[in-house]
Amino acid sequence: MKKYFLLLSFFTALIGKAQNYTLFTSNVPSQNAIELKWYGKKMKLDNAYDLYRKETGGSWQKINSTSMKRANALSKSDMKTKPTEKNTEALYMYSLVMNDTSKSSGKKSLNYFTLISLAINNNELAAVLGIYFQDKNLLAGKIYEYRLVTSGSSADNFLASASIAANSYSQPDAPSGLAREAKEKEVLLKWKYSDKSIGYNIYRYSSSAKADTVLQLLMNDDEIALANSDKFFFNDDDKNLKQGITYKYKVASTDAFGHESKLSNEVTAQLIDLTPPNAVQSLKAEMNADKTVSVKWKPSVSADCSGYNVYRSLKKEDSFQKLNSATLSKTDSLFTDKNVTESTEYFYYVDAIDKSNNVQKSLTVSVVITDLTPPAMPTGLKAVGDTGKIYLSWNANTEKDLMGYYVFRALKSDEGNFNLLMSKPVTENKFMDTLQKQAGNFFVYKICAVDKSWNRSETTPLLFAKQIDLIAPTAPEIRDIATEGNGIKITIGKSPSADIRELEIQRKLTLDTLPEALKKINTNAVAGNAGSYIDERVEKGKAYTYQLIAIDSSGNRSVPSVSRIVSNDLKAGAGYAPAELRVVYDEKTKTANVGWKETATGAVEGYKVYRKTNNGSFVPVSALAKGSSLADTSVEAGNSYSYSYKILAILPTGESKFSTEVKIEIK
């Protein structure tokens, strides 16, 4: 059975963005009862619930005698007896998860939510999980309103509500518009989607009237979008599907209680053979003494190969024409081309065809009916530079058998450095060379003419060309910013751009929100590789925002760096860096417990904890941490993992310096 349990996507669609819980109701088939089931974004392992009910105009009455919560798990000794009834099977499945002592509490909660997703089609399991109730004290035809509350709460403080009339259960209509499209290894299905359905059961039949496979689908956002666009949104890609078998499909929708609708119309499908036969091997073309061409090959080894077609062209890549009027036998290995002309190159390939008309093309081979006279060397080669491009042009050759031109490029004028820029000659007397936009060096070009016999002319004299540089560099980051003496020191990182002529330092008062408030403050040029800059024209007690702009040798200006804020009242600096950092690994809980001595708590908003794994880079491992400790549960044991930690304090005016680094080994 194939299941699509996409929990996060499913619960988001099921519950909606505006609320945390949804209460589902349904009449019970063949009973005068109403069943209720609920789901919530914030459901936890130990949640407990009560249900309230009232008739129209009546008052709220609690209908459950005891709080509804997850059942006590069976003991390991009780689980030695194999369950025989649905409710005991559900309790057994639940107990397997809850008794798994090898799982952490977080993984146990995740497994609990997996059980909740299974409870969509299993009311017995939903009852074990404490999210299902049957109300049997009802009057037929009455409309009842229900409210779900946290256990012990009043009906006024409800999590979700729903209303329903106590009527006989009526099976929903079948999904309509079931259609299919067969592929080579899968069958695509679509039908008219209804947002009243929680999911679908897809029944597949092969050799009997009884379905041999039931596929279950909980639709995610992507599948819903495809369905609403009348596109195929479900694919049966079971690896056991076989060609030559006719498969039948029917679809039924399901609600939150696993109740099925009526079955849809039936569609049939057969997988299509789209696999071509093996190509012929060892293809070659030879000119014979009588000026004909023999095309030879080794036959295809595929059992379903039915024959061959031979193609010829005057071009290597296109314009091929079939030469044989009738398909050649699958045992043939020779074809003679009698219609050839001197001073011409011919290209051949052979198609192998199978019984389903799938085609496999061979490699292309060529033969030259001798022509050794090259065309004249092109003249008038010139170049025009642009951003990321160099346009080449030259005078056109006049030879009747001209095929085109080859263009070569190099970084140096040495013959060994030139590279051919195309696989086949260009037919026009112009060419656009696309380059990396940041490349500022000169490029060397030369061209030659090529005729239809692949004879090349001499190459032209070398031409040197350079593109226009309009690519802005990348600004370096502000690594650190802190007060120093009577000024503010900005520590500057290294930009990934190699071409930086100078840096522009921009500053504004942090309270000034106008974009134009950022002004250049350096009167002298700051070198592109400068490691720091000290701003001495600041006032005590004021907060400043800084950013950097890089300028390259062509005058291109970068996008500003990420801005940094600092206050010139000594509130952001080394004195606020956390101290006494320590890390202890708890093998039982698989947790690295990080602790430190807090700095001045009145000035610090929190702390950022950074971690490096083995020889990697430091990355944040949490949101803003409060207090003086953090439990890092994402570490992994085994294979001698090495973790290094460091932290910094977050102040209203900026960041402190990093603490000392602490390293631990986990084996």
Side-chain angles (χ1 to χ4, degrees), residues 193-319:
Y193 166 70
S194 171
D195 57 9
K196 295 180 180 180
S197 301
I198 297 299
Y200 293 93
N201 290 336
I202 299 94
Y203 292 85
R204 187 180 73 210
Y205 310 78
S206 56
S207 58
S208 66
K210 183 179 179 182
D212 50 21
T213 303
V214 182
L215 310 172
Q216 292 184 326
L217 170 64
L218 297 177
M219 297 185 68
N220 60 29
D221 291 341
D222 291 337
E223 290 162 340
I224 292 172
L226 290 171
N228 289 332
S229 301
D230 195 30
K231 296 179 180 177
F232 292 99
F233 57 89
F234 178 82
N235 65 309
D236 180 6
D237 55 359
D238 190 340
K239 296 186 183 301
N240 294 317
L241 291 175
K242 297 179 180 178
Q243 293 183 355
I245 297 177
T246 299
Y247 295 99
K248 302 175 183 179
Y249 293 88
K250 293 182 181 180
V251 176
S253 64
T254 58
D255 62 14
F257 302 91
H259 300 153
E260 277 196 338
S261 71
K262 298 174 183 177
L263 286 173
S264 70
N265 59 296
E266 180 181 276
V267 295
T268 61
Q270 272 196 350
L271 298 182
I272 326 172
D273 177 12
L274 297 176
T275 303
N278 290 97
V280 301
Q281 299 296 313
S282 303
L283 180 67
K284 58 183 178 180
E286 299 173 341
M287 188 178 74
N288 301 316
D290 60 356
K291 297 183 181 179
T292 61
V293 174
S294 292
V295 183
K296 303 177 182 179
W297 63 89
K298 289 183 179 179
S300 170
V301 297
S302 296
D304 65 341
C305 178
S306 59
Y308 311 102
N309 288 321
V310 181
Y311 291 83
R312 185 190 73 186
S313 175
L314 297 177
K315 300 180 181 180
K316 187 176 182 180
E317 303 295 339
D318 54 25
S319 301

